[in-house]
Amino acid sequence: MNAITRTHTCGELSSKHLDQTVHLCGWVAKRRDLGGLTFITLRDRHGITQVVFDPEVTGKIPTGAETQERAHELRGEYVIRVEGRVRKRPAGQDNAKMATGEIELAATSLQILSTAKTPPFEILDEVDAAETLRLKYRYLDLRRPALQKNLVMRHRLLTAVRNYLDQNQFIEVETPILYKSTPEGARDYLVPSRVHPGHFYALPQSPQTLKQLLMIAGMDRYFQIARCFRDEDLRADRQPEFSQVDIETSFLDEESLYPLMEGMTAKIWKECLGITIPTPFPRMPYAEAMSRYGSDKPDTRFGLELVDVSDVFRASTFQVFSNALASGKGSVRVIRVPGAAEKFSRKDLDEVQAVGASYGAKGLLWLKVQAGGELQGPSAKFFTDAEKSAFAAKLGYQEGDLILGIAAEKNSVVFDALGTIRQNVGARLGLIPKDQFNFLWVTNFPLLQYNDEDGRYYASHHPFTSPRPEFFEDFIAGRNLAAIQASAYDLVLNGFEVAGGSLRIYRSDVQAAMFRTLGFTEEQAKAQFGFFLEALQYGTPPHGGIAFGVDRLAMLLCGTDAIRDVMAFPKTQKATCLMSESPSVVSDAQLEELSIALAVKK
């Protein structure tokens, strides 16, 4: 048995292969010695198969004694090739949990292809090793069936995407990784040029200007599985490098783009999970999403919607309320949690308050509804009879309900804090259904965001997002900027933004107005985007697009809440790779070659 080949994988043998002689290759997952019998569980990406070294079988073969002896040498993670005959397991020993559980392979020959040291943790789905250890030995962690299934799911996702877009006349075009540094919201990863000392490339945060240039070039329908890079502070669901399905089209408006993307999403869910997703997806304006859910990516699988009670307490002498409402930029909002009054202890309420505090809320308004509609809570004594009556009418609460609220001088704090509290309470009470997929288009985003600290506007998305056509005139004139809406849209699933896009600016005068509004001088705009501004003058079609987050889609398809579980070699929240120990220092010779002097010591 010299050739390193296999006739079958470890996940495909069944009773239809009985009495066949087969060759398997894989890793030893377990070994058990029972008297004269040696059992091993052989694993590869496709599954596991039980192999038995039985003296009654090997004793009939000239080299059987050697094979039987070699089986005792096997240890976990040894790589072997085994030849044998497929036979039915003895009566009562079937394993319904294994796809191959009705058969076993009676070995006749064994070849040890590679030995292995004892792994730093067991290769099991239920592994209890720390994530830092598993990331350091990621190549071992990836042997776990659960992670391998996740990567297979990711592959199926991308296969479905490519097939669908190809069938709908999109062409895949690769764009450069080494590109020009342009401000797009996050810090760039910079790459020094050896050939041009003192000059730098940037790794693309997205192929934004490039895909728009492809529309100007007449490509009409483009897509790319694009690698993107952003040097930003990380959260649990973010990585410094990530993949997106990048899509751009010409001569389509939102009403044409939505059904096209809904069709692709439905195909993904059908081919990856076998689930039929109903279309069209519902739509919700940004302002409504914020008002009802405190989030621009609302999870609509459960209720607990926010209620604005500012009008009830407009004349309140309670300082918490009066301070929140004095500026006209804040509000008092609450959620009613039916029947939850006795489910939340003071300790539970303190934990909920801490959630709000992490978003800048100074306190949590909590009230428990007692018999007869009486309100119990620290703030209840400040309510007038008229306020109590209006409050009851507004909420329609009943005995046993819990009311949670936030009052703040900025609506952004109210929405962030109470929207997150809503999610926290929904999870605590088990109100969020599993295996339910609620897709939602969020539309009509504000085009600009005003920053009080530096007194200027910033693009809510990026500087190439078009205002809605009805706002063109005001935008070019610089009027009513805070009220201008963008032709932008996000696709939301169960509280996650899975895709975002917009119609793009295709008129030179509108693009010039955007740069002017964002505080660019003509010289600065030309220095940063001169190539793009010039391209707009050579006949630009109306165009727009969208980008789907591959990692987040895969995460949701796999039913995990950790984006690292669907990436082969992820980084930590400090943007380090524990396996390769990167980022790392480089030699002085390399730095000198790049004309770089370090301001910090190695």
Side-chain angles (χ1 to χ4, degrees):
M1 192 171 68
N2 295 319
I4 305 174
T5 59
R6 61 185 177 185
T7 59
H8 297 77
T9 68
C10 293
E12 65 178 299
L13 296 179
S14 66
S15 57
K16 71 180 182 181
H17 299 97
L18 290 177
D19 296 323
Q20 292 185 20
T21 296
V22 302
H23 300 167
L24 299 180
C25 294
W27 285 261
V28 176
K30 294 180 181 178
R31 194 200 78 196
R32 293 174 293 140
D33 290 321
L34 302 177
L37 297 174
T38 299
F39 291 88
I40 67 164
T41 303
L42 193 64
R43 180 190 71 237
D44 65 10
R45 176 170 69 81
H46 306 277
I48 56 176
T49 299
Q50 177 170 286
V51 180
V52 57
F53 294 87
D54 185 346
E56 291 190 7
V57 175
T58 56
K60 301 175 183 179
I61 302 168
T63 59
E66 180 183 348
T67 297
Q68 201 71 24
E69 182 64 28
R70 194 174 296 150
H72 290 288
E73 301 174 17
L74 297 177
R75 299 291 182 271
E77 303 312 306
Y78 275 31
V79 181
I80 67 172
R81 178 175 182 263
V82 62
E83 179 181 344
R85 183 177 60 84
V86 180
R87 71 185 190 187
K88 189 168 180 60
R89 291 195 186 193
Q93 295 185 20
D94 287 6
N95 187 343
K97 295 180 180 179
M98 291 173 56
T100 60
E102 60 183 343
I103 59 91
E104 61 187 12
L105 186 69
T108 56
S109 183
L110 169 65
Q111 183 181 5
I112 298 177
L113 302 175
S114 176
T115 61
K117 295 196 301 183
T118 301
F121 52 84
E122 287 191 274
I123 312 299
L124 298 172
D125 279 345
E126 301 79 19
V127 63
D128 60 358
E131 187 181 38
T132 52
L133 182 64
R134 291 188 287 109
L135 287 175
K136 180 175 176 60
Y137 295 94
R138 185 63 169 181
Y139 46 86
L140 296 180
D141 200 30
L142 284 174
R143 291 182 188 174
R144 294 195 294 127
L147 289 189
Q148 293 189 342
K149 289 176 183 176
N150 288 352
L151 293 185
V152 170
M153 180 68 80
R154 185 183 177 112
H155 161 74
R156 289 176 179 163
L157 155 65
L158 294 179
T159 299
V161 164
R162 281 193 164 99
N163 289 342
Y164 178 86
L165 292 176
D166 177 65
Q167 292 164 7
N168 283 275
Q169 299 180 319
F170 286 83
I171 61 170
E172 187 169 4
V173 181
E174 295 176 336
T175 56
I177 292 296
L178 296 176
Y179 196 51
K180 182 181 178 68
S181 177
T182 56
E184 293 186 34
R187 286 181 295 272
D188 288 325
Y189 278 103
L190 300 177
V191 181
S193 170
R194 178 186 59 82
V195 179
H196 304 282
H199 290 69
F200 293 83
Y201 300 103
L203 304 182
Q205 294 182 34
S206 77
Q208 184 60 50
T209 57
L210 290 162
K211 61 185 175 184
Q212 290 189 248
L213 290 170
L214 287 172
M215 296 302 100
I216 296 173
M219 291 297 101
D220 192 67
R221 290 190 176 192
Y222 139 95
F223 84 96
Q224 178 183 190
I225 311 300
R227 293 295 283 170
C228 304
F229 308 85
R230 293 179 186 174
D231 185 7
E232 58 187 348
D233 295 333
L234 303 182
R235 298 197 301 259
D237 62 342
R238 283 187 177 176
Q239 286 278 303
E241 52 185 318
F242 56 95
S243 297
Q244 64 185 37
V245 181
D246 204 49
I247 296 171
E248 200 78 6
T249 65
S250 295
F251 308 116
L252 287 183
D253 59 11
E254 296 106 316
E255 294 304 319
S256 302
L257 187 68
Y258 290 159
L260 198 58
M261 296 301 99
E262 290 167 357
M264 186 180 82
T265 306
K267 181 180 177 70
I268 291 169
W269 253 252
K270 186 67 175 178
E271 296 200 1
C272 291
L273 297 180
I275 294 174
T276 300
I277 298 294
T279 58
F281 299 156
R283 304 178 192 178
M284 185 181 295
Y286 166 85
E288 180 183 345
M290 297 301 295
S291 178
R292 291 174 59 186
Y293 299 98
S295 172
D296 59 2
K297 45 183 184 295
D299 188 341
T300 59
R301 291 175 295 173
F302 67 108
L304 305 187
E305 294 186 17
L306 280 61
V307 180
D308 188 353
V309 292
S310 301
D311 57 337
V312 173
F313 301 106
R314 190 71 61 188
S316 175
T317 57
F318 183 33
Q319 195 171 17
V320 173
F321 292 165
S322 59
N323 288 347
L325 300 174
S327 69
K329 297 181 179 180
S331 61
V332 182
R333 296 173 193 258
V334 300
I335 58 174
R336 180 175 72 88
V337 191
E342 299 307 315
K343 297 178 182 179
F344 278 74
S345 66
R346 186 55 191 263
K347 178 177 178 291
D348 294 328
L349 292 169
D350 287 343
E351 291 174 354
V352 173
Q353 178 169 317
V355 172
S358 66
Y359 289 90
K362 295 178 181 179
L364 175 72
L365 167 72
W366 64 265
L367 298 161
K368 294 184 177 182
V369 184
Q370 306 295 304
E374 285 298 312
L375 298 176
Q376 175 206 352
S379 59
K381 61 185 177 183
F382 297 103
F383 289 22
T384 66
D385 289 342
E387 288 169 346
K388 288 180 182 179
S389 177
F391 193 58
K394 189 98 172 182
L395 293 181
Y397 52 71
Q398 299 178 0
E399 180 181 344
D401 289 354
L402 174 68
I403 299 167
L404 302 171
I406 295 291
E409 298 171 18
K410 292 183 178 180
N411 274 330
S412 59
V413 173
V414 177
F415 289 142
D416 288 346
L418 196 54
T420 307
I421 286 172
R422 172 183 176 267
Q423 288 289 141
N424 180 279
V425 171
R428 281 172 179 262
L429 297 177
L431 301 178
I432 307 176
K434 307 294 183 182
D435 302 322
Q436 181 174 322
F437 300 100
N438 280 24
F439 287 92
L440 173 72
W441 287 109
V442 178
T443 65
N444 296 13
F445 283 84
L447 181 70
L448 303 164
Q449 292 180 341
Y450 189 77
N451 188 310
D452 290 321
E453 293 182 6
D454 57 12
R456 53 170 290 195
Y457 281 101
Y458 290 85
S460 295
H461 286 71
H462 54 66
F464 309 104
T465 299
S466 176
R468 295 184 63 81
E470 61 266 31
F471 294 99
F472 274 8
E473 190 173 319
D474 274 356
F475 183 60
I476 293 172
R479 297 190 300 260
N480 305 319
L481 294 178
I484 293 177
Q485 294 177 358
S487 292
Y489 34 82
D490 283 353
L491 182 58
V492 174
L493 169 60
N494 296 354
F496 292 92
E497 177 196 333
V498 295
S502 67
L503 300 186
R504 320 303 188 190
I505 297 171
Y506 69 96
R507 285 172 36 179
S508 297
D509 58 339
V510 179
Q511 188 64 70
M514 174 62 82
F515 286 135
R516 187 168 60 248
T517 302
L518 298 180
F520 284 76
T521 66
E522 287 189 26
E523 292 75 17
Q524 288 171 330
K526 186 175 181 180
Q528 292 280 358
F529 300 104
F531 67 100
F532 183 73
L533 294 173
E534 183 174 9
L536 289 177
Q537 300 174 33
Y538 285 94
T540 301
H543 61 283
I546 193 168
F548 286 76
V550 172
D551 313 295
R552 198 163 289 168
L553 276 176
M555 181 184 77
L556 292 165
L557 287 167
C558 292
T560 178
D561 58 1
I563 208 164
R564 288 190 286 268
D565 286 349
V566 297
M567 304 178 79
F569 300 103
K571 292 180 172 59
T572 68
Q573 283 186 251
K574 293 185 178 180
T576 61
C577 174
L578 299 180
M579 182 184 67
S580 65
E581 299 182 338
S582 64
S584 59
V585 299
V586 297
S587 69
D588 291 337
Q590 287 175 287
L591 293 173
E592 185 177 352
E593 194 172 34
L594 293 168
S595 303
I596 291 177
L598 297 182
V600 295
K601 292 183 179 180
K602 290 186 181 180

